[in-house]
Coordinates of all heavy atoms in Angstrom, one line a residue:
M454 N 0.8 -1.2 0.0 CA 0.0 0.0 0.0 C 0.9 1.2 0.0 O 2.0 1.2 0.5 CB -0.9 0.0 1.2 CG -0.2 0.0 2.6 SD -1.4 -0.2 3.9 CE -2.4 1.2 3.8
I455 N 0.3 2.3 -0.5 CA 1.1 3.6 -0.7 C 0.5 4.6 0.3 O -0.7 4.8 0.3 CB 1.1 4.1 -2.1 CG1 1.8 3.1 -3.0 CG2 1.7 5.5 -2.2 CD1 1.8 3.5 -4.5
V456 N 1.4 5.2 1.1 CA 1.0 6.2 2.0 C 1.8 7.5 1.7 O 2.8 7.4 1.0 CB 1.2 5.9 3.5 CG1 0.3 4.7 3.9 CG2 2.7 5.6 3.7
R457 N 1.2 8.6 2.1 CA 1.8 9.9 1.8 C 2.4 10.5 3.1 O 1.6 10.6 4.1 CB 0.9 10.8 1.1 CG 1.5 12.1 0.5 CD 0.4 13.0 0.0 NE -0.3 12.5 -1.1 CZ -0.1 12.7 -2.4 NH1 0.9 13.5 -2.7 NH2 -0.8 12.2 -3.3
C458 N 3.6 10.9 3.1 CA 4.2 11.5 4.3 C 3.5 12.8 4.6 O 3.2 13.7 3.7 CB 5.7 11.8 4.0 SG 6.5 12.7 5.4
G459 N 3.1 13.0 5.9 CA 2.4 14.2 6.3 C 3.2 15.4 6.3 O 2.7 16.5 6.4
R460 N 4.5 15.3 6.3 CA 5.4 16.5 6.3 C 5.9 16.9 5.0 O 5.8 18.1 4.6 CB 6.6 16.2 7.2 CG 7.5 17.4 7.4 CD 8.8 17.0 8.2 NE 8.5 16.7 9.6 CZ 9.5 16.4 10.4 NH1 10.7 16.2 10.0 NH2 9.1 16.1 11.7
C461 N 6.4 15.9 4.2 CA 7.0 16.3 2.9 C 6.2 15.9 1.7 O 6.5 16.1 0.6 CB 8.4 15.9 2.8 SG 8.6 14.1 2.7
R462 N 5.1 15.1 2.0 CA 4.2 14.7 0.9 C 4.8 13.7 0.0 O 4.3 13.4 -1.1 CB 3.7 15.9 0.1 CG 2.9 16.9 0.9 CD 1.7 16.3 1.4 NE 1.0 17.3 2.3 CZ -0.1 16.9 3.0 NH1 -0.5 15.7 3.0 NH2 -0.7 17.8 3.8
T463 N 5.9 13.0 0.4 CA 6.5 12.0 -0.4 C 5.6 10.7 -0.3 O 5.2 10.3 0.8 CB 7.9 11.7 0.1 OG1 8.7 12.8 0.0 CG2 8.5 10.5 -0.7
E464 N 5.4 10.1 -1.4 CA 4.6 8.8 -1.4 C 5.6 7.7 -1.1 O 6.6 7.5 -1.8 CB 3.8 8.7 -2.7 CG 2.7 9.6 -2.8 CD 1.8 9.3 -4.0 OE1 2.3 8.6 -4.9 OE2 0.7 9.8 -4.0
V465 N 5.2 6.8 -0.2 CA 6.1 5.7 0.2 C 5.3 4.4 0.2 O 4.2 4.4 0.6 CB 6.6 5.9 1.6 CG1 7.6 4.8 2.0 CG2 7.3 7.3 1.8
E466 N 5.9 3.4 -0.4 CA 5.3 2.1 -0.4 C 5.6 1.4 0.9 O 6.8 1.2 1.2 CB 5.8 1.3 -1.6 CG 5.4 -0.2 -1.6 CD 4.0 -0.3 -2.3 OE1 3.7 0.4 -3.2 OE2 3.2 -1.1 -1.8
V467 N 4.5 0.9 1.6 CA 4.8 0.2 2.9 C 4.0 -1.1 2.8 O 3.1 -1.3 2.0 CB 4.2 1.0 4.1 CG1 5.0 2.3 4.2 CG2 2.7 1.3 4.0
P468 N 4.5 -2.1 3.5 CA 3.9 -3.4 3.4 C 2.5 -3.5 4.1 O 1.7 -4.4 3.8 CB 4.8 -4.4 4.2 CG 5.6 -3.5 5.1 CD 5.7 -2.1 4.4
G469 N 2.2 -2.6 5.0 CA 0.9 -2.7 5.7 C 0.9 -1.7 6.8 O 1.7 -0.8 7.0
P470 N -0.2 -1.8 7.7 CA -0.3 -0.9 8.9 C 0.9 -0.9 9.8 O 1.6 -2.0 9.9 CB -1.5 -1.4 9.6 CG -2.3 -2.1 8.5 CD -1.3 -2.7 7.7
G471 N 1.3 0.2 10.3 CA 2.4 0.3 11.2 C 3.0 1.6 11.3 O 2.4 2.6 10.8
R472 N 4.2 1.8 11.8 CA 4.9 3.1 11.9 C 6.2 2.9 11.1 O 6.9 2.0 11.3 CB 5.2 3.4 13.3 CG 4.0 3.8 14.2 CD 4.4 3.9 15.6 NE 3.2 4.4 16.4 CZ 3.2 5.7 16.9 NH1 4.1 6.5 16.7 NH2 2.1 6.0 17.6
Y473 N 6.3 3.9 10.2 CA 7.5 3.9 9.3 C 8.1 5.2 9.2 O 7.4 6.2 9.1 CB 7.1 3.4 7.9 CG 6.4 2.1 7.9 CD1 5.0 2.1 7.9 CD2 7.0 0.9 7.8 CE1 4.3 0.9 7.9 CE2 6.4 -0.3 7.9 CZ 5.0 -0.3 7.9 OH 4.3 -1.5 7.9
P474 N 9.4 5.3 9.3 CA 10.1 6.7 9.1 C 10.1 7.0 7.6 O 10.3 6.1 6.7 CB 11.5 6.4 9.6 CG 11.8 5.0 9.5 CD 10.4 4.3 9.6
C475 N 9.8 8.3 7.3 CA 9.8 8.7 5.9 C 11.2 8.6 5.4 O 12.2 9.2 6.0 CB 9.3 10.1 5.8 SG 9.4 10.9 4.2
P476 N 11.4 8.0 4.2 CA 12.8 7.9 3.7 C 13.3 9.3 3.2 O 14.5 9.5 3.0 CB 12.7 6.9 2.5 CG 11.2 7.0 2.1 CD 10.5 7.3 3.4
A477 N 12.4 10.2 3.0 CA 12.9 11.5 2.4 C 13.2 12.5 3.6 O 14.2 13.2 3.5 CB 11.8 12.1 1.5
C478 N 12.3 12.6 4.6 CA 12.5 13.6 5.6 C 12.7 13.0 7.0 O 13.0 13.7 8.0 CB 11.4 14.6 5.7 SG 9.8 13.9 6.3
G479 N 12.5 11.7 7.2 CA 12.6 11.0 8.4 C 11.5 11.1 9.4 O 11.5 10.6 10.5
A480 N 10.4 11.8 9.0 CA 9.2 11.9 9.9 C 8.5 10.6 10.0 O 8.5 9.8 9.1 CB 8.2 12.9 9.3
L481 N 8.0 10.3 11.2 CA 7.4 9.0 11.5 C 6.0 9.0 10.9 O 5.2 9.9 11.3 CB 7.4 8.7 13.0 CG 7.2 7.3 13.4 CD1 8.3 6.4 12.9 CD2 7.0 7.2 14.9
M482 N 5.7 8.1 10.1 CA 4.4 8.0 9.5 C 3.6 6.9 10.2 O 4.2 5.7 10.3 CB 4.5 7.7 8.0 CG 5.1 8.8 7.2 SD 5.2 8.4 5.5 CE 6.2 6.9 5.5
E483 N 2.4 7.1 10.6 CA 1.6 6.1 11.2 C 0.6 5.6 10.2 O -0.3 6.4 9.8 CB 0.9 6.6 12.5 CG 0.1 5.5 13.2 CD -0.3 5.9 14.6 OE1 0.2 6.9 15.1 OE2 -1.1 5.2 15.2
V484 N 0.6 4.4 9.8 CA -0.3 3.8 8.9 C -1.3 3.0 9.6 O -1.0 2.0 10.2 CB 0.4 2.9 7.8 CG1 -0.6 2.4 6.8 CG2 1.6 3.7 7.2
R485 N -2.6 3.4 9.5 CA -3.6 2.7 10.3 C -4.3 1.7 9.3 O -4.4 1.9 8.1 CB -4.7 3.7 10.7 CG -4.2 4.7 11.8 CD -5.4 5.4 12.3 NE -5.0 6.4 13.4 CZ -4.6 7.6 13.1 NH1 -4.6 8.1 11.9 NH2 -4.3 8.4 14.1
P486 N -4.7 0.6 9.9 CA -5.4 -0.4 9.1 C -6.8 0.2 8.6 O -7.3 1.1 9.2 CB -5.7 -1.6 10.0 CG -5.5 -1.0 11.4 CD -4.6 0.1 11.3
R487 N -7.3 -0.4 7.5 CA -8.5 0.1 7.0 C -9.7 -0.1 7.9 O -9.8 -1.1 8.5 CB -8.8 -0.6 5.6 CG -8.3 0.0 4.4 CD -8.6 -0.8 3.2 NE -7.7 -0.5 2.1 CZ -7.8 0.5 1.3 NH1 -8.8 1.3 1.4 NH2 -6.9 0.6 0.3
G488 N -10.5 1.0 8.0 CA -11.7 0.9 8.8 C -11.5 1.1 10.3 O -12.4 1.0 11.1
A489 N -10.2 1.4 10.7 CA -9.9 1.6 12.1 C -9.8 3.1 12.5 O -9.4 3.4 13.5 CB -8.6 0.9 12.5
D490 N -10.3 3.9 11.6 CA -10.3 5.4 11.9 C -11.2 5.6 13.0 O -12.4 5.3 12.9 CB -10.7 6.1 10.6 CG -10.4 7.6 10.8 OD1 -10.5 8.1 11.9 OD2 -10.1 8.3 9.8
P491 N -10.8 6.2 14.1 CA -11.7 6.4 15.2 C -12.8 7.4 14.9 O -13.8 7.4 15.6 CB -10.8 6.9 16.4 CG -9.6 7.4 15.6 CD -9.4 6.6 14.4
G492 N -12.6 8.2 13.9 CA -13.6 9.2 13.5 C -14.8 8.5 12.8 O -15.8 9.2 12.6
L493 N -14.6 7.3 12.3 CA -15.6 6.7 11.5 C -16.3 5.5 12.3 O -17.1 4.8 11.7 CB -15.0 6.1 10.2 CG -14.4 7.1 9.3 CD1 -13.8 6.4 8.1 CD2 -15.5 8.1 8.8
V494 N -16.0 5.4 13.6 CA -16.6 4.4 14.4 C -18.1 4.7 14.5 O -18.5 5.8 14.9 CB -16.0 4.2 15.8 CG1 -16.7 3.3 16.6 CG2 -14.5 3.8 15.6
A495 N -18.9 3.7 14.2 CA -20.4 3.9 14.4 C -20.8 4.0 15.8 O -20.2 3.3 16.7 CB -21.1 2.8 13.7
P496 N -21.7 4.8 16.2 CA -22.2 4.9 17.6 C -22.8 3.6 18.0 O -23.3 2.8 17.1 CB -23.2 6.0 17.6 CG -23.7 6.1 16.2 CD -22.5 5.7 15.3
P497 N -22.8 3.2 19.3 CA -23.4 2.0 19.7 C -24.9 2.0 19.5 O -25.5 3.1 19.5 CB -23.1 1.9 21.2 CG -22.8 3.3 21.6 CD -22.2 4.0 20.4
P498 N -25.4 0.9 19.2 CA -26.9 0.8 18.9 C -27.7 1.2 20.2 O -27.2 0.9 21.3 CB -27.2 -0.6 18.5 CG -26.1 -1.4 19.1 CD -24.8 -0.5 19.1
P499 N -28.8 1.8 20.0 CA -29.6 2.2 21.2 C -30.1 0.9 21.9 O -30.3 -0.1 21.3 CB -30.8 3.0 20.6 CG -30.9 2.6 19.2 CD -29.5 2.2 18.8
P500 N -30.4 1.0 23.2 CA -30.9 -0.2 23.9 C -32.3 -0.5 23.4 O -33.0 0.4 22.9 CB -30.9 0.3 25.4 CG -31.0 1.8 25.3 CD -30.2 2.2 24.1
P501 N -32.6 -1.8 23.4 CA -33.9 -2.2 22.9 C -35.0 -1.6 23.7 O -34.9 -1.5 24.9 CB -33.9 -3.7 23.0 CG -32.9 -4.0 24.1 CD -31.8 -2.9 23.9
A502 N -36.1 -1.1 23.0 CA -37.2 -0.5 23.7 C -38.0 -1.5 24.5 O -38.1 -2.7 24.1 CB -38.1 0.1 22.7
P503 N -38.4 -1.2 25.7 CA -39.2 -2.1 26.5 C -40.5 -2.4 25.8 O -41.1 -1.6 25.2 CB -39.4 -1.4 27.8 CG -39.2 0.1 27.5 CD -38.2 0.1 26.4
A504 N -40.9 -3.7 26.0 CA -42.2 -4.1 25.4 C -43.3 -3.3 26.0 O -43.4 -3.1 27.2 CB -42.4 -5.6 25.6
P505 N -44.2 -2.8 25.2 CA -45.4 -2.1 25.7 C -46.3 -2.9 26.5 O -46.5 -4.1 26.2 CB -46.1 -1.5 24.4 CG -45.7 -2.5 23.4 CD -44.3 -2.9 23.7
S506 N -46.8 -2.4 27.6 CA -47.7 -3.1 28.4 C -49.1 -3.1 27.8 O -49.5 -2.1 27.3 CB -47.8 -2.5 29.8 OG -46.5 -2.5 30.4
P507 N -49.8 -4.3 27.9 CA -51.1 -4.3 27.4 C -52.0 -3.4 28.2 O -51.9 -3.3 29.4 CB -51.6 -5.8 27.5 CG -50.3 -6.5 27.7 CD -49.3 -5.6 28.3
R508 N -52.9 -2.6 27.5 CA -53.8 -1.7 28.2 C -55.2 -2.0 27.8 O -55.5 -2.2 26.6 CB -53.4 -0.3 27.8 CG -54.1 0.8 28.6 CD -53.6 2.2 28.1 NE -52.3 2.6 28.7 CZ -52.3 3.4 29.8 NH1 -53.4 3.7 30.4 NH2 -51.2 3.7 30.3
V509 N -56.1 -2.2 28.7 CA -57.5 -2.6 28.4 C -58.4 -1.5 29.0 O -58.0 -0.7 29.9 CB -57.8 -4.0 29.0 CG1 -56.9 -5.1 28.4 CG2 -57.6 -4.0 30.5
E510 N -59.6 -1.5 28.5 CA -60.6 -0.6 29.0 C -61.8 -1.4 29.5 O -62.3 -2.3 28.9 CB -61.1 0.3 27.8 CG -62.1 1.3 28.3 CD -62.4 2.3 27.2 OE1 -61.6 2.4 26.2 OE2 -63.5 3.0 27.3
C511 N -62.1 -1.1 30.8 CA -63.2 -1.8 31.4 C -64.5 -1.5 30.7 O -64.9 -0.3 30.6 CB -63.2 -1.4 32.9 SG -64.6 -2.1 33.8
P512 N -65.2 -2.5 30.3 CA -66.6 -2.3 29.7 C -67.6 -1.8 30.7 O -68.6 -1.3 30.2 CB -66.9 -3.7 29.1 CG -66.2 -4.7 30.0 CD -64.9 -4.0 30.4
E513 N -67.4 -2.0 31.9 CA -68.4 -1.6 32.9 C -68.3 -0.1 33.3 O -69.3 0.6 33.3 CB -68.2 -2.5 34.2 CG -68.4 -3.9 34.0 CD -69.9 -4.3 33.6 OE1 -70.8 -3.6 34.0 OE2 -70.0 -5.2 32.8
C514 N -67.0 0.3 33.6 CA -66.9 1.7 34.0 C -66.0 2.6 33.1 O -65.9 3.8 33.3 CB -66.3 1.7 35.5 SG -64.6 1.2 35.6
G515 N -65.4 1.9 32.1 CA -64.6 2.7 31.2 C -63.2 3.0 31.6 O -62.5 3.7 30.9
L516 N -62.8 2.5 32.8 CA -61.5 2.8 33.3 C -60.5 2.0 32.4 O -60.6 0.8 32.1 CB -61.3 2.3 34.7 CG -59.9 2.4 35.3 CD1 -59.7 3.9 35.6 CD2 -59.8 1.6 36.6
R517 N -59.4 2.7 32.0 CA -58.3 2.1 31.3 C -57.2 1.8 32.2 O -56.7 2.7 33.0 CB -57.8 3.0 30.1 CG -58.9 3.2 29.0 CD -58.4 4.1 28.0 NE -57.2 3.6 27.3 CZ -57.2 2.8 26.2 NH1 -58.4 2.4 25.7 NH2 -56.1 2.4 25.6
F518 N -56.7 0.6 32.2 CA -55.6 0.2 33.0 C -54.7 -0.8 32.3 O -55.1 -1.5 31.4 CB -56.1 -0.3 34.4 CG -57.0 -1.5 34.3 CD1 -56.5 -2.8 34.5 CD2 -58.3 -1.3 33.9 CE1 -57.4 -3.9 34.4 CE2 -59.2 -2.4 33.8 CZ -58.7 -3.7 34.0
I519 N -53.5 -0.9 32.8 CA -52.4 -1.7 32.3 C -52.5 -3.1 32.9 O -52.6 -3.2 34.2 CB -51.0 -1.1 32.4 CG1 -50.9 0.2 31.7 CG2 -50.0 -2.1 32.0 CD1 -49.7 0.9 31.9
V520 N -52.5 -4.1 32.1 CA -52.5 -5.5 32.6 C -51.3 -6.3 32.2 O -50.5 -5.8 31.3 CB -53.8 -6.3 32.2 CG1 -55.1 -5.5 32.6 CG2 -53.8 -6.3 30.6
G521 N -51.1 -7.4 32.7 CA -49.9 -8.2 32.4 C -50.4 -9.2 31.3 O -51.4 -9.0 30.6
A522 N -49.5 -10.2 31.1 CA -49.8 -11.2 30.1 C -50.8 -12.2 30.6 O -50.4 -13.4 30.9 CB -48.5 -11.9 29.6
V523 N -52.0 -11.8 30.8 CA -53.1 -12.7 31.3 C -54.2 -12.6 30.3 O -54.4 -11.8 29.5 CB -53.5 -12.3 32.7 CG1 -52.3 -12.4 33.7 CG2 -54.0 -10.8 32.7
E524 N -55.2 -13.6 30.5 CA -56.3 -13.6 29.6 C -57.4 -12.7 30.0 O -58.1 -12.1 29.2 CB -56.9 -15.1 29.5 CG -55.9 -16.0 28.8 CD -56.6 -17.4 28.7 OE1 -57.7 -17.6 29.2 OE2 -56.0 -18.3 28.1
S525 N -57.5 -12.4 31.3 CA -58.5 -11.5 31.8 C -58.0 -10.9 33.1 O -57.2 -11.6 33.8 CB -59.9 -12.1 32.0 OG -59.8 -13.1 33.0
A526 N -58.4 -9.7 33.4 CA -57.9 -9.0 34.6 C -59.1 -8.3 35.3 O -60.0 -7.8 34.6 CB -56.8 -8.0 34.3
P527 N -59.1 -8.3 36.6 CA -60.2 -7.6 37.3 C -60.0 -6.1 37.3 O -58.8 -5.6 37.4 CB -60.1 -8.2 38.8 CG -58.7 -8.6 38.9 CD -58.2 -9.1 37.5
C528 N -61.0 -5.4 37.0 CA -60.9 -3.9 37.0 C -60.6 -3.4 38.4 O -61.3 -3.8 39.4 CB -62.2 -3.3 36.5 SG -62.3 -1.5 36.6
P529 N -59.6 -2.6 38.5 CA -59.3 -2.0 39.9 C -60.3 -1.1 40.4 O -60.3 -0.7 41.5 CB -57.9 -1.4 39.7 CG -57.8 -1.0 38.2 CD -58.6 -2.1 37.5
N530 N -61.2 -0.6 39.5 CA -62.2 0.4 39.9 C -63.5 -0.2 40.4 O -64.0 0.1 41.4 CB -62.4 1.4 38.8 CG -63.3 2.6 39.2 OD1 -63.1 3.1 40.3 ND2 -64.3 2.9 38.4
C531 N -64.0 -1.1 39.5 CA -65.3 -1.7 39.8 C -65.3 -3.2 40.0 O -66.2 -3.8 40.4 CB -66.3 -1.4 38.7 SG -66.0 -2.2 37.1
G532 N -64.1 -3.8 39.8 CA -64.0 -5.3 40.0 C -64.5 -6.2 38.9 O -64.4 -7.4 39.0
A533 N -65.0 -5.6 37.8 CA -65.4 -6.4 36.7 C -64.3 -7.1 36.1 O -63.2 -6.6 36.0 CB -66.2 -5.6 35.7
S534 N -64.6 -8.4 35.6 CA -63.5 -9.1 34.9 C -63.4 -8.6 33.5 O -64.4 -8.6 32.7 CB -63.9 -10.6 34.9 OG -62.9 -11.3 34.2
V535 N -62.3 -8.0 33.1 CA -62.0 -7.4 31.8 C -61.2 -8.3 31.0 O -60.1 -8.7 31.4 CB -61.4 -6.1 32.0 CG1 -61.2 -5.4 30.6 CG2 -62.1 -5.2 32.9
P536 N -61.7 -8.8 29.8 CA -60.9 -9.7 29.0 C -59.7 -8.9 28.3 O -59.9 -7.7 28.0 CB -61.9 -10.2 27.9 CG -62.9 -9.1 27.8 CD -63.0 -8.6 29.3
V537 N -58.6 -9.5 28.2 CA -57.4 -8.9 27.6 C -57.3 -9.4 26.2 O -57.2 -10.6 26.0 CB -56.1 -9.2 28.5 CG1 -54.9 -8.6 27.8 CG2 -56.3 -8.7 29.9
P538 N -57.3 -8.5 25.2 CA -57.2 -8.9 23.9 C -55.8 -9.5 23.6 O -54.8 -9.2 24.3 CB -57.4 -7.7 23.0 CG -57.1 -6.6 24.0 CD -57.4 -7.1 25.3
D539 N -55.7 -10.3 22.5 CA -54.4 -10.8 22.1 C -53.4 -9.7 21.7 O -53.8 -8.6 21.4 CB -54.6 -11.8 20.9 CG -55.3 -13.0 21.3 OD1 -55.3 -13.4 22.5 OD2 -56.0 -13.6 20.5
E540 N -52.2 -10.0 21.8 CA -51.1 -9.1 21.5 C -51.3 -8.6 20.0 O -51.5 -9.4 19.2 CB -49.8 -9.7 21.7 CG -48.7 -8.6 21.6 CD -47.3 -9.3 21.9 OE1 -47.3 -10.3 22.6 OE2 -46.3 -8.7 21.6
G541 N -51.2 -7.3 19.8 CA -51.3 -6.8 18.5 C -52.7 -6.2 18.2 O -52.8 -5.5 17.2
T542 N -53.7 -6.5 19.0 CA -55.0 -5.9 18.7 C -55.3 -4.6 19.5 O -56.3 -4.0 19.3 CB -56.1 -6.9 19.0 OG1 -56.0 -7.3 20.4 CG2 -55.9 -8.2 18.2
W543 N -54.4 -4.3 20.5 CA -54.6 -3.2 21.3 C -53.6 -2.1 20.9 O -52.6 -2.3 20.5 CB -54.5 -3.4 22.8 CG -53.4 -4.5 23.2 CD1 -53.6 -5.8 23.3 CD2 -52.0 -4.2 23.3 NE1 -52.4 -6.4 23.6 CE2 -51.5 -5.5 23.7 CE3 -51.2 -3.1 23.3 CZ2 -50.1 -5.6 23.9 CZ3 -49.9 -3.2 23.6 CH2 -49.3 -4.5 23.9
Ligands
ZN679 ZN1 8.6 13.0 4.6
ZN680 ZN1 -64.5 -1.1 35.8

C-alpha cells in the first residue's frame, strides 16, 4: 500500500499498517489499518425498547388500566372481569 508523508508529501510504499520513518525527511508515518479510523466508528446501537404493556378498557366503568400477560384481569375500579385482547390488537 502507498501512504503519503504528512510532512513532505512523499509517497512511500509500505507493506501494511504500522509506523515507518519517511525515507525523504525522516518523519514518522503512522499507517492505520482500513476501517480503524476512530472518527468513523459507528455509535453503539440504542438499547432495545421495553415491550409495551397491554392496556385494556373496562366495559363496565370505562377505566383504562395496564394489565400483564393474562387472559383477563379484574378492573381495579369496579372489580369487573375485563378480557385482555391478544397481542397486536390493542
Ligand atoms: Zn517525509
Ligand atoms: Zn371497571
